[in-house]
């Protein structure tokens, strides 16, 4: 790179779970600064394009190709934004971008890279329900596109046995219509039937829906790919309120303390 040469920049930006009110000021500034916007089509549709910006949309399973295209564009000296739903580091584009940098040409490692955090789906769902993540928790993607289903089953059992609250991302799809029911069956072998299960669909958008059921009543057809699910631990409680939605929370103290 010669003196005075324009150095490219890639910002991987989390836009939150839904409406613009969930967008952080840092994310908004990074989006406005960019010369070009890359992202999955539904996420780009939630971002306003200013005069002079270009928009490069791609499909859901094209993460590495999308990352490579954005990095190549940034390597020309441009300021590029990779738009990611929720938080880019949670089952999203930050890891794909860094994977592409690791495998790509040396000039990609010289680019300025910024990861801009956002509100991920499990935090939005938890806030709507109360405080189900008030104690130890984990997040598990139920998609077996990038890992074997046997690994997912093992992690479900171990997380339940360890007493973690669990947040499920990518719970179902047309190609995997039965896996969520299988996951609930596994959890019913490890957890009390009364454990609360929260289904948060499109939380943060106008069509959001929230439902709380017990594990014994949880079914796969209660969710789609726009749903984030939180499964409580044996210590998670439901606080009923007259005329108001119940509150679901996991106490901060655990293990008899």
């Amino acid at each position: 790179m010669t003196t005075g040469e324009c150095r490219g920049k890639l910002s991987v930006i989390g836009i939150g779970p839904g409406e613009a009110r969930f967008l952080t000021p840092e994310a908004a500034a990074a989006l406005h600064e960019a010369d070009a916007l890359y992202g999955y089509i539904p996420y780009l549709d939630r971002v306003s394009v200013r005069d002079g910006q270009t928009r490069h949309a791609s499909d859901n399973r094209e993460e590495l190709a999308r990352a490579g295209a954005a990095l190549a564009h940034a390597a020309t000296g441009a300021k590029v934004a990779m738009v990611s739903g929720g938080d880019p580091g949670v089952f999203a584009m930050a890891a794909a971008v860094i994977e592409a940098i690791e495998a790509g040409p040396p000039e990609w490692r010289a680019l300025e890279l910024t990861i801009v955090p956002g509100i991920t789906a499990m935090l939005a769902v938890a806030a709507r329900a109360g405080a189900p993540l008030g104690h130890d928790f984990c997040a598990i993607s139920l998609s077996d596109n990038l890992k074997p289903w046997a690994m997912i089953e093992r992690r479900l059992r171990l997380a339940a046995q360890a007493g973690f609250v669990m947040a499920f991302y990518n719970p179902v799809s047309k190609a995997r219509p039965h896996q969520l029911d299988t996951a609930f069956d596994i959890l019913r072998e490890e957890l009390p039937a009364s454990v609360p299960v929260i289904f948060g669909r499109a939380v943060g958008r106008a069509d959001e829906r929230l439902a709380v059921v017990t594990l014994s009543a949880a079914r796969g057809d209660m969710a789609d790919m726009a749903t984030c699910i939180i499964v409580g631990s044996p210590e998670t409680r439901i606080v009923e309120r007259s005329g108001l939605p119940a509150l679901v929370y996991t106490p901060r103290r655990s293990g008899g303390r």
Side-chain angles (χ1 to χ4, degrees):
M1 184 177 292
T2 60
T3 302
E5 184 178 347
C6 179
R7 185 182 184 188
K9 177 179 180 180
L10 177 60
S11 298
V12 189
I13 303 169
I15 61 172
E19 296 170 356
R21 59 198 168 98
F22 291 100
L23 193 69
T24 69
E26 181 186 13
L31 288 170
H32 183 77
E33 177 188 59
D35 302 313
L37 305 175
Y38 283 76
Y40 176 40
I41 299 164
Y43 298 150
L44 279 184
D45 287 344
R46 285 160 43 192
V47 174
S48 298
V49 180
R50 65 164 172 78
D51 290 344
Q53 282 182 327
T54 59
R55 184 176 182 271
H56 307 265
S58 51
D59 204 0
N60 191 28
R61 293 194 182 184
E62 299 177 7
E63 289 92 347
L64 280 176
R66 183 186 310 140
L71 286 161
H73 194 160
T76 68
K79 294 178 180 178
V80 177
M82 176 68 74
V83 176
S84 184
D87 179 275
V90 181
F91 305 119
M93 284 304 301
V97 166
I98 296 173
E99 181 180 349
I101 290 173
E102 182 181 33
E107 57 264 29
W108 288 3
R109 299 192 182 210
L111 292 169
E112 181 181 350
L113 177 68
T114 302
I115 312 296
V116 181
I119 299 171
T120 188
M122 68 178 178
L123 299 182
V125 173
R128 285 286 186 267
L133 307 181
H135 197 64
D136 296 343
F137 64 90
C138 64
I140 300 174
S141 171
L142 296 189
S143 171
D144 61 353
N145 289 332
L146 300 175
K147 61 179 182 286
W149 178 252
M151 178 182 288
I152 297 172
E153 290 189 349
R154 182 170 182 269
R155 289 177 174 176
L156 289 171
R157 289 191 186 279
L158 292 175
Q161 291 168 9
F164 286 110
V165 173
M166 289 168 267
F168 293 161
Y169 284 72
N170 307 313
V172 293
S173 72
K174 291 180 180 179
R176 315 179 271 108
H178 307 299
Q179 289 178 351
L180 181 55
D181 278 317
T182 301
F184 286 143
D185 287 341
I186 290 169
L187 295 181
R188 281 189 274 264
E189 295 175 6
E190 305 290 346
L191 294 170
S194 59
V195 162
V197 179
I198 304 163
F199 293 83
R201 186 190 183 282
V203 169
R205 285 171 263 172
D207 57 341
E208 74 171 37
R209 295 198 306 269
L210 193 80
V212 180
V213 302
T214 61
L215 180 57
S216 62
R219 303 189 317 273
D221 61 8
M222 294 177 173
D224 60 15
M225 279 296 284
T227 306
C228 182
I229 299 167
I230 296 178
V231 179
S233 75
E235 297 182 338
T236 303
R237 304 177 188 176
I238 298 177
V239 179
E240 300 291 349
R241 301 189 296 166
S242 179
L244 293 169
L247 298 172
V248 183
Y249 88 110
T250 304
R252 295 170 297 148
R253 293 177 179 83
S254 185
R257 297 190 64 84

